[in-house]
Amino acid sequence: MTPTLYFLRSSESKIVKDMTKYAHKKSDNLNKYYDFYGLTAKDLGLYALVDGIIAGAIWSRKFDGETPILSLAVLPEFRAKGLATAMMKQFLVEAGAVSQEMQVQTYADERTVNFYKKFDFIHHTKEQSTLLLKKYWKIPSKQIKNSVVLERF
């Protein structure tokens, strides 16, 4: 499987909206990841096309002048096939021109955390993760205990 990667343009914000449910846990404010996507230079992203199907996307948004927040989504039928790795490698090349620093919130499972670590993301302590989750993500307390924040500098 060889994906073709394309830049996400503001006219393709529907891709970001559709992929958000695969990138983030259910929350009351998921629209912040896709509302008005691409209308500022603070938004950067790619999507992957495989056999004519949008199989995944990776994007970042900068909220309130803070560290860009990374979102990564792969449709279930395309997981564990190297698609996330291909998208992350290309995204980091593109993002490096804008910002080296970024954060990601994800499930606290070893496989996912190790995926980000291989791209030099640092796993925050539980205390640091909790503070960041409350500040940037505003997710329910019950989700905080199953989530972690990783950061790349």
Side-chain angles (χ1 to χ4, degrees):
M1 174 184 74
T2 304
T4 305
L5 302 177
Y6 297 95
F7 280 104
L8 275 165
R9 299 176 302 226
S10 59
S11 62
E12 296 165 325
S13 62
K14 185 176 181 332
I15 294 171
V16 175
K17 183 177 182 179
D18 292 346
M19 288 291 167
T20 295
K21 65 184 170 201
Y22 298 104
H24 297 282
K25 299 174 182 184
K26 293 180 182 174
S27 178
D28 292 337
N29 62 344
L30 287 180
N31 62 311
K32 74 179 186 176
Y33 297 105
Y34 55 80
D35 279 351
F36 309 109
Y37 177 84
L39 297 180
T40 75
K42 298 176 183 179
D43 297 334
L44 177 67
L46 303 167
Y47 68 95
L49 203 61
V50 177
D51 297 328
I53 298 168
I54 297 171
I58 185 169
W59 68 98
S60 67
R61 299 199 85 179
K62 203 170 186 180
F63 300 105
D64 302 324
E66 299 289 340
T67 303
I69 305 296
L70 181 68
S71 301
L72 173 63
V74 177
L75 294 180
E77 60 269 29
F78 293 98
R79 292 182 184 157
K81 297 180 180 180
L83 185 59
T85 297
M87 288 192 302
M88 181 67 85
K89 284 179 180 177
Q90 186 61 42
F91 182 82
L92 292 175
V93 169
E94 305 302 335
V98 179
S99 174
Q100 290 293 326
E101 189 176 1
M102 64 185 73
Q103 293 178 345
V104 63
Q105 172 262 330
T106 189
Y107 295 105
D109 70 80
E110 187 176 349
R111 183 174 177 218
T112 304
V113 169
N114 286 338
F115 171 80
Y116 287 103
K117 282 183 172 181
K118 78 179 182 181
F119 294 103
D120 299 325
F121 281 79
I122 307 299
H123 186 185
H124 281 293
T125 65
K126 189 61 179 169
E127 294 78 23
Q128 291 170 316
S129 287
T130 299
L131 289 172
L132 291 166
L133 287 164
K134 288 180 178 178
K135 180 178 180 180
Y136 296 116
W137 285 274
K138 297 175 180 72
I139 61 175
S141 297
K142 63 182 178 181
Q143 279 185 274
I144 288 175
K145 66 181 175 185
N146 297 320
S147 299
V148 295
V149 174
L150 293 102
E151 190 162 9
R152 187 173 195 271
F153 300 97

